[in-house]
Amino acid sequence: MLSKFAPTLALLAASATVAVAAPTAAPAKPAGKPAASPAVPGNFAGADKDGRIRTQLVARESVVISSEINAKIARLPWKEGDSFRTGQALVTFDCSLFQAQLRKAEATQEAARKLLDTNRRLAELNSVGKLEVEQAEAKVKEAAAETAYMRTTVGKCVIPAPFSGRVAKRVASSYEFVTSGKPLLEIVDTGALELQMIVPSKWLARIKVGTPFTVQVDELGQSYPAQVIRIGARIDPVSQTISITGRITGNHPDLLPGMSGWAAF
């Protein structure tokens, strides 16, 4: 009778043997917190292995000089790279037409003033009414406004330099007729270059306004002393960085806007 179930009993015995022999998987150890990386400057993507930050020199002022009137350029002597001082004439326009219109407006104003004086004297003699005097007064105001307008227009015939610096780009030429809003020159203030950089926000614990640092300029291969003059007003929440502005101390004519290098705090 047992021989009839022998194959089945053998199969069950083999399965039990395999179940017993199967190793029991060890329980997984709870994952611990990853080791915190040390807060060193080199961990910042913008820093090198020595903790230096990439920085760039920028001009404190960079202005595109444009025409405010429709006129022909009489004189534009500046070339790219030329230096100029505050108040020097950058562009001079041919304003003979505007000057003639100014003289006409001044003559009209003078005639209106004389007419007003005459009407006032006649009004004292009851020869003219109050209306004639008021009309003469209005003519004087109108003529004065026209004179002021033409005087302002003539004042735009010369564009003085708003600061000392250099010409970065020239986009117009002498004897060229330009319209209002036409760009003429791009100028930069090279006397007070600033340094712009992005640093980790954690550095605010040790970087303040006035903090000194050193800048190595790639183009010249030299190092210059500098200090922080401004700190950004907002931290980027994604990258946890903030902008820092510095200034190289001393006068260095060899430095130009656009140069870059490494800042070491």
Side-chain angles (χ1 to χ4, degrees):
M1 186 66 177
L2 292 176
S3 59
K4 180 179 180 180
F5 298 100
T8 303
L9 293 175
L11 181 59
L12 292 175
S15 299
T17 303
V18 172
V20 172
T24 304
K29 294 182 179 179
K33 296 183 179 179
S37 56
V40 297
N43 287 350
F44 176 53
D48 65 359
K49 61 181 181 179
D50 297 324
R52 301 182 304 172
I53 296 293
R54 197 69 183 165
T55 184
Q56 183 178 10
L57 286 121
V58 297
R60 184 178 59 181
E61 298 287 348
S62 179
V63 179
V64 176
I65 300 297
S66 302
S67 172
E68 295 187 68
I69 58 176
N70 300 332
K72 182 175 69 174
I73 298 176
R75 190 166 183 270
L76 203 167
W78 307 99
K79 307 292 184 182
E80 293 185 8
D82 286 348
S83 301
F84 54 83
R85 298 186 305 275
T86 303
Q88 280 192 289
L90 297 178
V91 186
T92 304
F93 296 98
D94 179 4
C95 285
S96 55
L97 176 61
F98 297 133
Q99 291 169 348
Q101 291 175 338
L102 174 60
R103 291 192 294 269
K104 177 182 177 181
E106 290 173 340
T108 302
Q109 181 181 7
E110 180 64 18
R113 186 186 61 79
K114 290 181 178 180
L115 177 60
L116 175 60
D117 292 341
T118 301
N119 285 349
R120 283 175 175 172
R121 286 194 297 268
L122 292 174
E124 293 175 356
L125 300 173
N126 295 322
S127 297
V128 296
K130 182 180 180 181
L131 178 61
E132 284 77 3
V133 176
E134 292 178 348
Q135 288 177 339
E137 291 175 346
K139 287 292 184 181
V140 170
K141 293 179 179 178
E142 181 182 359
E146 181 65 21
T147 301
Y149 172 77
M150 291 310 306
R151 189 172 290 118
T152 302
T153 302
V154 171
K156 299 181 184 298
C157 293
V158 177
I159 302 179
F163 50 78
S164 298
R166 299 177 67 179
V167 177
K169 188 177 182 181
R170 170 176 163 165
V171 294
S173 302
S174 298
Y175 312 111
E176 178 182 349
F177 184 86
V178 296
T179 57
S180 177
K182 163 74 175 179
L184 307 174
L185 292 173
E186 183 179 349
I187 59 175
V188 294
D189 181 1
T190 57
L193 298 179
E194 295 184 348
L195 295 160
Q196 291 184 347
M197 66 203 85
I198 303 295
V199 304
S201 57
K202 292 182 179 180
W203 286 21
L204 292 178
R206 59 187 181 92
I207 294 180
K208 308 295 181 184
V209 173
T211 299
F213 61 98
T214 303
V215 178
Q216 182 178 358
V217 179
D218 294 342
E219 288 78 2
L220 302 178
Q222 298 182 19
S223 296
Y224 301 87
Q227 64 177 359
V228 176
I229 60 172
R230 285 194 306 276
I231 297 177
R234 182 175 61 184
I235 295 175
D236 185 277
V238 178
S239 61
Q240 290 296 297
T241 57
I242 190 170
S243 63
I244 297 291
T245 302
R247 179 180 297 161
I248 295 179
T249 57
N251 184 23
H252 305 281
D254 51 343
L255 296 175
L256 296 174
M259 290 183 174
S260 58
W262 295 95
F265 289 88

